Amino acid sequence: MTRPYVKKLSFTLLDSITDKDPVVQEQVCSALCSLGESQPGETLCACEAYLRQHDKLAHPYRTKILRAMETILSSHIDELDKDTAVIAILLASNEMTRIKELDCDWQQAASSVLVAVGKRFINQVMEEVLSRFQPGILPHSSVLHTLASLSVSNAFGMVPFLPSILSTMLPMLGMAKQDALRVVFCGALQHFSESTLEYLANLDQAPDPTVRKDTFAADIFGAYDILFHHWLQSRDAKLRLAVVAALGPMSHLLPSEKLEEQLPKLLPAVLGLYKKHAETFQISKSLGQILEAAVSVGSRTLEVQLDALLVALHAQICVPVESSSPLVMSSQKEVLRCFTVLACCSPDRLLAFLLPRLDTNNERLRVGTLQILRHIINSAAAQMEVKKPFILSSMRLPLLDTNNKVKRAVVQVISAMAHHGYLEQPGGEVMVDYIVQQCALPPEEPEKPGPDGEDLAADSVRAVSIRTLYLVSTTVDRMNSVLWPYLLEFLTPVRFTAALTPLCRSLVHLALKRQEAGADAFLVQYNSNANLPSPFAMTTRLLVVSSNPYLGDGRGAASLRLLKVMHRNIHPLLGQRWETTMPVLLEYLDEHTEETLSLKEWEEKLLMFLRDTLAVVSDNTWICQLSQEMCKQLPSYNGTAQEKNFLYKCIGTTLGAASSKEVVRKHLRELLETARYQEEAEQEGLACCFGICAITHLEDTLAQLEDFVRSDVFRKSIGIFNIFKDRSEHEVERMKSSLILCYGHVAAQAPRELVLAKVESDILRSMFQCFNTKVLGIKVETKDPALKLCLVQSLCMVCQAMCSSAQASSFQFSRKAELVTQMMEFIRAEPLDCLRTPIRKKAMLACTYLVNLEPVLEEQAQTDVIHSCLHSVMALPPEPDGEDGTCREPLYLDTVCALENLLTSLLQRNMTPQGLQIMVEVCCGHQLLR
């Protein structure tokens, strides 16, 4: 595009800048910038011409055009020719100083154009700006703004001009009477000092490496004298903050002797501003700069001022923060930077001040002190190196604080310590313990409201601790020897259960690092540390907690991954096999969620994995040790029924793989003697254990059950004195229920070819021996429905096992009629107006299996079964409710289904005509015949 065309197009766009719609105005500016992308010089000249020709265009529109010019200049300054640059400079200078009154946006936009051009054409910009900065005449405030901004954006270009600028400016300071103009002068002095310090710090890259600090010393001190002794006393808060912001960088340029001379007055004056200003960022930033300057010249004044400094700075950290705005956070960082300076020059006095304050019970003071301690551990590592033992010992009381704000601060301090070698010192393990304890906090536990009314969740402490543990174990190499194998000690204690997932993840990472280091480094030396969990304890723990895999942020997968990576420490033969079997389990978990996973199927997969592991090891001594550890860990799961139930199944599986009959009997006996029979879930778990064990040890399992029934432990439990005590009676019934369930599961799991031979002689005899109680030779009928239900349920399992035997058709079951009669008694004892328990359903299911066994029921027995069962079900309301008012419809439907199955079995076994007649009569009597 030609220049005339670009100018015409630009003018067309610019004519629309005055549109009333702000959206249109923005679109015009955006279009100008886009045009400037392809034709920067022509677009800039067009904008300049438009502004010159439209002299009366309102300030807001002129501002928008200048902003567009700045955008073009910033992107294409390297493509700009000198003539165009001069045109832009003259325009911006004129726009910036057209009126004496301050119009911040318009004048700032013009100043920004000059700054953008000055990045490349600094001499041309300075020539124009300095023409408006004449000795003896107070300059336009925008000129000062521009000079300050130029020094920031182009320090190398500006610093050579500063000596003459400062000598011209110094007399002007006394002439400035308005606070607003004084604020501008302070801003300029601040930026001039900062750019000078940047220039001096990078002399190797500077255009004039001969520049020295003393070049500016006299003028800066002259300016300092006016700012400190006169302007700092102003009532105008904005001016005071501007003065202190300038004094910080200026202090670095003062002659050393002058700075030392001024410090006794300067430091107290700056500290005094904390009491006058709520916004303290500039004060803290400037104070840090002054302290750095004092340290750089070896000032002795700091020693005298140190106590006052520490008190004031400590108070700034401990003051309650009303918000987490960036400015507030920046102010805190500047205060901490002051502590870094003091830590480097006076570490002993700093720690003597800080550490005793950790013993206070005041939350704010303790949290603030911990924040400072964390900061100086990180920022003054060299000075703190020899102080590590003192710092570690000072953490004793904070570690005991239960306040969550303090806890978070302690965790952050420990994180800093880990990065700097503190935890390798004696006592460092206490800090690791603390982190793990916080990881084990219950996620849902809320914190008690603090004194300021804030209510924080304990989960935030736990979350910080989990992140810290993982960060330290994965990124801090020096912590490897501290955490490995020490973290293994936390796997088995129950109090650390909630920390298992982060522990396992950290341990997996540490173990993989050890593997990379070599085989010897990876193998755990159990003999050297008695606190480490044995391979059997670790295997048991990780397998059991995996049974509820999505609990605790996915501890199932984390535990299995740790188990997999620890295979060499568990048994040398497992590595290759687990490389195949473990990924299948992990993939299964990935495919499911807590909602879609069937716990029953998952437990069976884990038990298959355990059986496969035991088969690979095939070492009776190892298997017996594993079973012993499993039994030892049972009490650990008293509060988690599902996991304890699964552990019982694991014990049964492991005992089933053991070849030592003595060990099997010993453990089975111990399980019977120590089981918590009053807990229903434990009854089921114990029974499953005996059933699984009976798959390979039927004789031993039955023998141990019978020995226990005959033992003093059992006999004393059912003695006459206990029968008449309600509580003892309940406990006795629970024990009986458990033993009956054990027999049922043994029958259900035992090899089918062996079941029939044991049913009448061992299993049923012992079941009814437990069920029937005799007191002084008199049979006492149980009143406990749970005991009845266990008997019926176990009888179902026994009969089902008999029916599924290959010899069932030729087996004559002599107790068939007796058992059917017993089931009828249970059914008739059930109330007809409500459905309390599943007893009648289970009893009919047992009869269904019994009907299919030989010999065939006599006619009268069939009649009794049909009448009793039909009457028991048909008399129930169509939508029966339980005694507590809960809906029992599912149980009702299941009971009807059980009745249907029983009648079907009777028909298939040639139901007698009398039986059919009874069935019709009962149905008609209840008006339910279809």
Side-chain angles (χ1 to χ4, degrees):
M1 288 185 286
T2 62
R3 180 181 289 267
Y5 180 78
V6 173
K7 182 177 180 180
K8 185 177 180 181
L9 181 57
S10 299
F11 270 54
T12 303
L13 286 170
L14 290 166
D15 283 338
S16 303
I17 197 86
T18 57
D19 193 281
K20 294 180 180 179
D21 189 346
V23 175
V24 174
Q25 296 175 17
E26 291 302 319
Q27 289 174 341
V28 169
C29 292
S30 178
L32 274 175
C33 292
S34 298
L35 184 60
E37 284 294 313
S38 58
Q39 304 289 333
E42 290 78 359
T43 306
L44 288 170
C45 289
C47 290
E48 184 272 340
Y50 189 88
L51 286 172
R52 185 163 31 82
Q53 293 174 23
H54 296 77
D55 193 50
K56 294 185 180 180
L57 184 67
H59 299 167
Y61 308 123
R62 305 184 80 84
T63 301
K64 289 184 180 297
I65 297 171
L66 289 167
R67 292 288 184 205
M69 292 179 68
E70 181 206 350
T71 301
I72 297 169
L73 284 164
S74 298
S75 302
H76 299 279
I77 189 64
D78 292 333
E79 304 166 27
L80 205 64
D81 61 78
K82 186 177 179 181
D83 292 339
T84 305
V86 170
I87 291 173
I89 291 168
L90 292 174
L91 168 72
S93 178
N94 183 52
E95 293 284 322
M96 185 176 70
T97 57
R98 279 182 70 174
I99 58 173
K100 290 184 179 181
E101 298 79 16
L102 286 177
D103 187 321
C104 292
D105 286 345
W106 177 30
Q107 292 165 347
Q108 181 59 51
S111 176
S112 296
V113 170
L114 289 171
V115 173
V117 178
K119 289 179 181 178
R120 182 180 170 200
F121 298 99
I122 188 66
N123 291 332
Q124 287 76 10
V125 171
M126 288 304 297
E127 182 181 351
E128 173 59 27
V129 174
L130 290 177
S131 69
R132 300 177 184 273
F133 186 74
Q134 297 298 319
I137 304 171
L138 283 175
H140 195 288
S141 60
S142 294
V143 172
L144 290 172
H145 272 302
T146 303
L147 290 172
S149 299
L150 283 167
S151 69
V152 172
S153 67
N154 188 356
F156 286 158
M158 267 294 290
V159 168
F161 291 97
L162 285 183
S164 61
I165 292 174
L166 288 171
S167 62
T168 303
M169 178 187 287
L170 195 56
M172 296 177 179
L173 299 179
M175 300 164 57
K177 303 301 180 184
Q178 295 180 342
D179 286 344
L181 185 57
R182 288 178 174 182
V183 168
V184 178
F185 272 115
C186 288
L189 285 167
Q190 175 190 347
H191 292 309
F192 292 163
S193 300
E194 288 170 349
S195 61
T196 302
L197 292 173
E198 181 186 348
Y199 191 99
L200 294 172
N202 297 280
L203 279 175
D204 56 326
Q205 304 170 34
D208 182 4
T210 63
V211 174
R212 293 291 177 264
K213 184 173 80 169
D214 50 14
T215 307
F216 312 90
D219 289 329
I220 289 294
F221 181 70
Y224 167 88
D225 187 56
I226 294 173
L227 266 60
F228 179 71
H229 290 102
H230 300 285
W231 293 3
L232 189 59
Q233 319 308 319
S234 171
R235 295 180 180 179
D236 186 275
K238 189 175 181 181
L239 176 56
R240 287 199 302 267
L241 288 178
V243 169
V244 80
L247 292 178
M250 287 170 68
S251 65
H252 283 272
L253 297 175
L254 293 177
S256 301
E257 67 281 0
K258 293 292 185 181
L259 177 60
E260 183 70 6
E261 176 188 299
Q262 293 297 316
L263 282 174
K265 295 177 288 185
L266 177 59
L267 289 173
V270 174
L271 293 178
L273 293 177
Y274 279 126
K275 297 178 181 179
K276 298 180 180 180
H277 293 269
E279 175 50 61
T280 59
F281 168 72
Q282 288 294 354
I283 302 170
S284 301
K285 181 180 179 182
S286 180
L287 180 58
Q289 293 168 325
I290 294 168
L291 291 175
E292 288 174 342
V295 170
S296 68
V297 300
S299 171
R300 296 180 180 179
T301 305
L302 276 184
E303 287 296 319
V304 179
Q305 300 282 336
L306 194 55
D307 289 340
L309 283 164
L310 290 172
V311 170
L313 291 169
H314 187 263
Q316 286 301 306
I317 290 294
C318 297
V319 72
V321 178
E322 299 298 330
S323 71
S324 56
S325 68
L327 195 59
V328 171
M329 294 297 101
S330 297
S331 182
Q332 291 258 313
K333 289 179 183 177
E334 292 300 332
V335 176
L336 291 173
R337 194 160 70 93
C338 294
F339 275 105
T340 300
V341 178
L342 299 177
C344 292
C345 67
S346 300
D348 292 330
R349 287 187 61 182
L350 174 61
L351 291 179
F353 174 85
L354 285 179
L355 299 187
R357 282 162 174 75
L358 290 176
D359 296 342
T360 179
N361 289 323
N362 183 289
E363 174 206 291
R364 290 175 183 169
L365 292 180
R366 182 169 273 173
V367 170
T369 306
L370 287 167
Q371 287 177 336
I372 298 165
L373 187 60
R374 172 199 177 198
H375 181 77
I376 62 173
I377 287 172
N378 284 323
S379 62
Q383 288 76 14
M384 296 298 116
E385 183 67 30
V386 296
K387 312 295 181 184
K388 288 178 180 178
F390 302 106
I391 295 175
L392 279 169
S393 63
S394 71
M395 293 293 290
R396 182 176 56 85
L397 289 179
L399 291 176
L400 301 176
D401 200 316
T402 57
N403 181 284
N404 278 348
K405 291 182 180 178
V406 175
K407 283 184 175 183
R408 280 191 293 273
V410 169
V411 171
Q412 290 166 345
V413 169
I414 295 173
S415 177
M417 287 179 168
H419 284 79
H420 295 282
Y422 286 70
L423 305 191
E424 299 156 43
Q425 301 282 322
E429 287 183 348
V430 176
M431 303 298 166
V432 178
D433 288 2
Y434 185 85
I435 293 290
V436 179
Q437 287 169 18
Q438 306 318 305
C439 292
L441 286 172
E444 67 282 355
E445 181 183 321
E447 184 194 29
K448 295 177 182 178
D452 56 359
E454 189 175 1
D455 187 18
L456 297 171
D459 185 41
S460 55
V461 177
R462 183 173 182 267
V464 169
S465 302
I466 288 172
R467 288 195 297 270
T468 299
L469 180 62
Y470 188 73
L471 181 71
V472 166
S473 57
T474 56
T475 63
V476 186
D477 290 339
R478 66 190 307 165
M479 284 296 294
N480 291 353
S481 58
V482 176
L483 299 177
W484 181 269
Y486 181 59
L487 285 185
L488 292 171
E489 294 182 19
F490 299 95
L491 290 178
T492 51
V494 178
R495 65 184 183 278
F496 297 118
T497 298
L500 277 174
T501 301
L503 277 171
C504 289
R505 287 173 179 166
S506 293
L507 281 165
V508 166
H509 189 89
L510 292 166
L512 291 173
K513 280 186 177 179
R514 287 278 166 167
Q515 284 183 357
E516 293 171 3
D520 293 338
F522 175 60
L523 288 174
V524 177
Q525 303 300 319
Y526 294 101
N527 296 333
S528 62
N529 191 338
N531 294 324
L532 287 175
S534 68
F536 312 104
M538 195 187 316
T539 302
T540 301
R541 176 66 163 159
L542 295 177
L543 193 61
V544 172
V545 297
S546 298
S547 65
N548 205 339
Y550 299 109
L551 204 63
D553 194 26
R555 72 185 185 201
S559 298
L560 291 174
R561 287 191 176 97
L562 178 58
L563 201 58
K564 178 176 178 287
V565 83
M566 292 293 293
H567 65 85
R568 290 187 57 204
N569 286 287
I570 293 170
H571 195 281
L573 296 178
L574 291 174
Q576 187 173 356
R577 186 63 177 169
W578 281 5
E579 283 293 333
T580 305
T581 55
M582 197 71 81
V584 176
L585 293 174
L586 294 169
E587 184 179 350
Y588 187 80
L589 289 180
D590 287 339
E591 291 171 353
H592 288 274
T593 63
E594 189 171 4
E595 291 73 27
T596 64
L597 183 81
S598 165
L599 276 180
K600 184 178 179 181
E601 290 180 13
W602 173 244
E603 283 189 1
E604 187 51 42
K605 286 182 179 294
L606 288 178
L607 292 174
M608 286 176 60
F609 168 76
L610 176 58
R611 283 192 289 270
D612 184 69
T613 296
L614 296 170
V616 171
V617 172
S618 193
D619 178 347
N620 184 63
T621 303
W622 192 92
I623 292 171
C624 290
Q625 285 180 284
L626 179 61
S627 64
Q628 182 178 355
E629 179 60 39
M630 286 180 170
C631 293
K632 181 181 175 183
Q633 286 194 24
L634 270 173
S636 300
Y637 298 95
N638 286 338
T640 51
Q642 183 266 331
E643 290 173 354
K644 190 169 189 180
N645 196 312
F646 178 71
L647 179 52
Y648 269 118
K649 295 175 186 177
C650 292
I651 293 171
T653 302
T654 307
L655 290 176
S659 59
S660 172
K661 294 183 178 295
E662 290 182 8
V663 171
V664 172
R665 287 196 172 203
K666 172 179 175 289
H667 286 315
L668 291 178
R669 182 174 64 253
E670 289 173 353
L671 291 175
L672 289 169
E673 291 173 353
T674 59
R676 295 155 65 96
Y677 293 102
Q678 67 274 22
E679 296 180 10
E680 185 178 343
E682 184 139 349
Q683 294 178 24
E684 185 69 26
L686 181 67
C688 287
C689 172
F690 273 74
I692 295 170
C693 185
I695 296 173
T696 50
H697 298 294
L698 178 59
E699 295 285 351
D700 295 303
T701 306
L702 288 173
Q704 201 54 57
L705 281 169
E706 187 168 354
D707 287 349
F708 181 73
V709 171
R710 292 176 177 175
S711 69
D712 290 341
V713 176
F714 185 71
R715 289 181 182 277
K716 287 178 181 177
S717 299
I718 61 173
I720 183 171
F721 297 107
N722 287 330
I723 284 295
F724 298 108
K725 297 176 184 177
D726 290 342
R727 181 178 177 187
S728 296
E729 182 179 358
H730 178 75
E731 292 172 357
V732 169
E733 302 298 344
R734 298 280 76 76
M735 181 182 286
K736 290 179 180 179
S737 299
S738 300
L739 293 170
I740 291 171
L741 270 181
C742 285
Y743 279 109
H745 278 270
V746 167
Q749 296 280 3
R752 292 291 177 261
E753 65 274 10
L754 302 178
V755 170
L756 294 180
K758 298 291 182 182
V759 165
E760 292 187 287
S761 61
D762 293 291
I763 297 175
L764 288 175
R765 176 180 58 79
S766 299
M767 284 170 59
F768 278 93
Q769 185 179 345
C770 293
F771 182 72
N772 295 320
T773 301
K774 287 186 178 181
V775 179
L776 300 178
I778 303 170
K779 181 180 176 181
V780 179
E781 180 71 28
T782 181
K783 297 178 182 179
D784 186 1
L787 182 56
K788 283 185 181 181
L789 188 59
C790 283
L791 178 66
V792 176
Q793 184 177 336
S794 295
L795 191 57
C796 284
M797 288 189 277
V798 172
C799 295
Q800 187 178 11
M802 294 169 66
C803 290
S804 61
S805 173
Q807 294 84 29
S809 58
S810 60
F811 178 71
Q812 295 293 314
F813 187 26
S814 62
R815 300 190 65 173
K816 174 177 176 177
E818 174 194 345
L819 294 177
V820 170
T821 302
Q822 180 74 67
M823 294 301 102
M824 291 306 104
E825 289 180 11
F826 287 170
I827 290 173
R828 284 192 289 269
E830 290 292 291
L832 298 176
D833 58 342
C834 65
L835 198 58
R836 295 177 180 173
T837 69
I839 287 179
R840 76 186 86 199
K841 180 194 82 170
K842 293 283 186 180
M844 284 188 280
L845 183 58
C847 288
T848 302
Y849 292 121
L850 285 167
V851 164
N852 290 316
L853 294 170
E854 297 295 338
V856 177
L857 281 178
E858 295 179 358
E859 185 174 332
Q860 184 56 45
Q862 282 194 34
T863 301
D864 187 38
V865 168
I866 294 168
H867 182 274
S868 297
C869 293
L870 278 171
H871 185 66
S872 176
V873 176
M874 297 302 180
L876 290 170
E879 296 181 0
D881 291 337
E883 288 184 324
D884 55 359
T886 57
C887 179
R888 298 284 186 174
E889 185 176 359
L891 178 57
Y892 175 75
L893 295 175
D894 288 346
T895 305
V896 172
C897 184
L899 173 62
E900 181 183 345
N901 291 335
L902 173 57
L903 295 176
T904 301
S905 295
L906 283 168
L907 285 169
Q908 290 173 347
R909 296 285 288 176
N910 299 319
M911 183 188 293
T912 63
Q914 185 180 356
L916 283 171
Q917 183 181 353
I918 292 293
M919 183 168 69
V920 172
E921 288 176 358
V922 173
C923 290
C924 289
H926 288 283
Q927 299 179 355
L928 288 173
L929 185 64
R930 296 292 182 263

